[in-house]
Amino acid sequence: MTTVQDAQHYIDDMTRKRGYVLDYHKVMAKQDFNVLQAANGLVSAAYLDQRALDRRTKELIFIVSLTVMRASKGHIQSHIQVALDLGVTAQEILEAIEISLPEAGIVAFQTGFEAWREVVGADGLEPTVEAFQGGSGADA
C-alpha cells in the first residue's frame, strides 16, 4: 500500500528529473499512484533516460510535437523552460517551432510561437499605419 509520503517523494523526484510538473501528475500521485508510475516509466524510457539523443535534442522534439498537437500553452512552456535551462537558445527553440509550419500549418505554429514569445519575452514591431489588430492568433 502506497502512503502519502511515498507518493510525495515520488512526485518530488519526478519533478527534479523532468524539471517541471503538470497538474495531472500532481493529482494522479494522490488519486492513482500506480498508473502515474506506469505512465512515468514510459516517459522515462523514451524521454528522460540517456540514450542516443541528448536531453537538449529531446526537448526540442518535445516542443515541436506539443506544438503540432496544439497542447496547452503551459505544457509547451514547461518544455521551453527546461530547454532554456539546458542551454538551448531562444533562437534554436524558435527554429524548432517553425518546423511545424509546413506540416501542421499556421494555427498550430501560433500555439507554439505564443508559448515561446511569453517565456522568452520576445517583442515585435508595431505598424505605423492604421490596421486591425488580430491578437496573437492562439488561444490565450
Side-chain angles (χ1 to χ4, degrees), residues 74-85:
H75 193 171
I76 298 168
Q77 287 175 328
S78 67
H79 286 279
I80 291 171
Q81 191 58 59
V82 170
L84 290 168
D85 290 348

Side-chain angles (χ1 to χ4, degrees), residues 49-104:
D49 294 351
Q50 182 57 53
R51 297 171 53 204
L53 296 176
D54 66 12
R55 182 75 187 272
R56 291 169 39 104
T57 303
K58 289 178 183 180
E59 285 303 332
L60 289 172
I61 292 169
F62 236 113
I63 291 164
V64 173
S65 64
L66 291 170
T67 295
V68 168
M69 297 297 296
R70 297 184 195 171
S72 72
K73 184 168 46 174
H75 193 171
I76 298 168
Q77 287 175 328
S78 67
H79 286 279
I80 291 171
Q81 191 58 59
V82 170
L84 290 168
D85 290 348
L86 291 170
V88 179
T89 69
Q91 185 64 36
E92 290 170 322
I93 295 167
L94 177 58
E95 287 182 27
I97 292 169
E98 290 167 347
I99 291 170
S100 70
L101 274 164
E103 299 303 324

Side-chain angles (χ1 to χ4, degrees), residues 2 8 12-13 16 28 77 99-100 105-106 110 126-127 136:
T2 304
Q8 184 67 57
D12 290 345
D13 187 54
R16 278 190 291 277
M28 290 297 288
Q77 287 175 328
I99 291 170
S100 70
I106 191 69
Q110 287 172 330
E126 290 296 327
S136 69

